[in-house]
């Protein structure tokens, strides 16, 4: 193992108040990340010393808040390799970002003769918005299957996409299977069919370097709370030429140019899509979070997390009755830093509840992927998800406690 990689958790854990003098083991990073001190301090500093509304005041405090807010937009654009910061639209979260595309671009462009291509592994936030737009426009939803190893069936994708496909909307890394979808290859096929491509990057942005120009996609949705940033702030990236043609998402202040009693005209992008007072402090703090991740280095993060994930799988495989979903990191190294599993004859909720008594925090349930669980014919799973702050020692403790919990539940079943 690379010594530089093996020291990453030791180097970074001191930056997180949650991990200082706290013996709890947090293995739910895929649900939400913990926050470093710099992010907490940035948010606190805004409300203590810089609190003012943006874009609306001529006074110095408002101008300072606006400068910090728009700088966060520039940081976000740089983080994903966007051409211009005006392609970044701040939203409440990635769910709102996907809804924005569905309800603006979708309402404007989709008809009963068109199709939207998704996959059965999608998070509900990338299913329900398209179901709603299908009900409104009559467009047809099609779904790509997964293969036996728990990955996107690329052959089935090629069979599903056609001249009626107007947009493909897919997750980058599955929050349940952990598989990393071949985005560049998919994007090339989309271009052949003149289909747009939206990428749900919630589970990948904090774990690997993403360049939207290199991927050659059209939209990307991200959420700060999975990026060591605060809750209540996310973003949509879209190609400038597409965003310019899309109608506003919500109406109100900030998104207008002129308002008359009988009509209104809209502000330029990105403000056309940002009605009302935004989450100013949260956006600024998200900028600090992205800078923090950049300072560590996403390639370094990816390498350390791959070592952790391989070790997690090795440990889980020693446990009887356990079934792990998704590709093995020793075979498919491009995957998420998580392991989703179920135990024969044992409730995943019982596993999560009992292991919590040992101050180990994992997720149980359907992980907002009910169609995927139905495909596997299981009601729920448990999930342990890692980050660059996770350690081999935590994995050892977790798997030892998991064995004890499973043995206890088997004896008492």
């Amino acid at each position: 193992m690379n010594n530089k990689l093996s020291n990453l958790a030791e180097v970074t854990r001191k930056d997180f108040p949650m991990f200082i003098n706290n013996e709890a083991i947090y293995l739910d990073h895929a649900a939400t990340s913990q926050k470093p001190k710099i992010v907490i301090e940035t948010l606190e500093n805004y409300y203590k010393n810089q609190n003012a509304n943006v874009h609306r005041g001529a006074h110095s405090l408002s101008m300072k808040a606006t400068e910090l807010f728009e700088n966060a937009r520039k940081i976000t654009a740089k983080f994903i390799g966007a051409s211009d910061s005006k392609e970044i639209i701040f939203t409440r979260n990635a769910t709102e970002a996907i809804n924005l595309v569905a309800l603006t671009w979708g309402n404007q462009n989709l008809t009963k003769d068109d199709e939207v291509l998704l996959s059965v592994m999608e998070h509900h936030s990338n299913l329900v918005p398209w179901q709603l737009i299908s009900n409104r426009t009559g467009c047809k939803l099609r779904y790509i299957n997964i293969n036996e190893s728990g990955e996107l069936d690329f052959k089935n994708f090629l069979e599903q996409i056609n001249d009626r496909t107007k947009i493909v909307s897919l997750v980058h890394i599955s929050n349940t299977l952990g598989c990393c979808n071949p985005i560049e290859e998919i994007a090339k096929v989309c271009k052949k069919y003149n289909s747009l491509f939206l990428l749900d990057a919630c589970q990948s942005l904090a774990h690997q370097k993403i360049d939207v120009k290199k991927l050659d996609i059209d939209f990307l949705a991200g959420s700060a709370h999975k990026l060591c940033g605060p809750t209540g702030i996310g973003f949509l990236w879209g190609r400038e030429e597409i965003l310019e043609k899309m109608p506003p998402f919500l109406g109100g202040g900030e998104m207008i140019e002129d308002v008359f009693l009988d009509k209104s005209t809209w502000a330029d992008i990105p403000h056309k899509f940002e009605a009302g007072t935004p989450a100013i402090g949260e956006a600024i703090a998200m900028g600090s979070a992205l800078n923090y991740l950049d300072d560590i280095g996403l390639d370094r993060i990816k390498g350390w997390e791959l070592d952790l994930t391989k070790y997690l799988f090795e440990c889980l495989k020693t446990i009887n009755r356990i079934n792990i979903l998704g590709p093995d990191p020793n075979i498919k190294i491009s995957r998420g830093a998580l392991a989703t599993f179920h135990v024969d004859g044992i409730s995943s909720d019982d596993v999560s509840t009992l292991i919590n008594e040992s101050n180990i925090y994992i997720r149980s349930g359907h992980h907002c992927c009910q169609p995927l669980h139905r495909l596997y014919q299981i009601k729920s799973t448990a999930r342990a998800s890692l980050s660059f702050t996770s350690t081999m020692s935590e994995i050892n403790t977790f798997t030892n406690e998991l064995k004890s919990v499973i043995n206890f539940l088997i004896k008492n079943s």
Side-chain angles (χ1 to χ4, degrees), residues 99-218:
N99 273 273
L100 191 159
V101 176
L103 291 171
T104 57
W105 179 89
N107 263 336
Q108 186 181 57
N109 292 281
L110 294 173
T111 71
K112 62 181 180 60
D113 298 319
D114 299 323
E115 295 180 358
V116 176
L117 186 54
L118 311 167
S119 81
V120 294
M121 72 176 72
E122 298 308 314
H123 190 281
H124 295 163
S125 61
N126 197 30
L127 288 177
V128 178
W130 299 111
Q131 291 172 347
L132 292 173
I133 204 65
S134 176
N135 292 337
R136 290 187 182 198
T137 66
C139 69
K140 182 179 179 181
L141 305 184
R142 296 172 69 95
Y143 297 93
I144 308 165
N145 293 328
I146 59 173
N147 59 28
E148 291 183 358
S149 64
E151 298 174 90
L152 188 85
D153 187 332
F154 194 80
K155 181 179 178 183
N156 185 244
F157 162 66
L158 295 177
E159 293 168 348
Q160 297 270 24
I161 194 168
N162 59 71
D163 291 332
R164 296 183 299 279
T165 307
K166 290 297 181 287
I167 189 167
V168 175
S169 190
L170 298 176
V171 68
H172 193 179
I173 292 178
S174 168
N175 73 322
T176 302
L177 298 172
C179 62
C180 184
N181 290 325
I183 301 307
E184 288 186 63
E185 291 86 348
I186 293 170
K188 289 177 183 177
V189 177
C190 288
K191 292 294 182 290
K192 291 181 181 179
Y193 286 94
N194 294 315
S195 169
L196 297 187
F197 188 4
L198 185 152
L199 185 64
D200 172 3
C202 285
Q203 295 295 339
S204 57
L205 282 167
H207 307 281
Q208 61 180 263
K209 191 68 178 175
I210 289 178
D211 186 321
V212 293
K213 291 194 291 291
K214 183 180 178 182
L215 293 176
D216 202 17
I217 57 179
D218 301 290

Side-chain angles (χ1 to χ4, degrees), residues 316 319-323 339-365 380-384 398-410:
L316 289 175
I319 303 176
N320 292 331
R321 296 197 188 191
I322 203 165
N323 305 280
T340 302
F341 59 92
H342 62 98
V343 184
D344 293 337
I346 300 295
S347 163
S348 297
D349 287 338
D350 287 347
V351 171
S352 177
T353 299
L354 285 181
I355 208 165
N356 178 74
E357 294 181 4
S358 299
N359 290 322
I360 299 172
Y361 310 138
I362 65 172
R363 180 80 178 267
S364 66
S380 67
T381 52
R383 184 186 69 195
F398 162 62
T399 51
N400 287 333
E401 290 297 323
L402 181 60
K403 288 178 184 178
S404 298
V405 165
I406 291 172
N407 289 334
F408 173 82
L409 290 171
I410 290 172

Side-chain angles (χ1 to χ4, degrees), residues 40-54:
I40 298 168
E41 290 167 357
T42 298
L43 190 60
E44 182 180 31
N45 186 51
Y46 166 74
Y47 284 113
K48 277 185 174 180
N49 303 308
Q50 300 151 348
N51 181 42
N53 215 327
V54 293

Side-chain angles (χ1 to χ4, degrees), residues 14-31:
K14 61 180 173 50
D15 297 333
F16 291 78
M18 175 64 76
F19 302 133
I20 298 174
N21 300 321
N22 188 345
E23 295 182 359
I25 296 176
Y26 185 79
L27 297 177
D28 198 20
H29 296 275

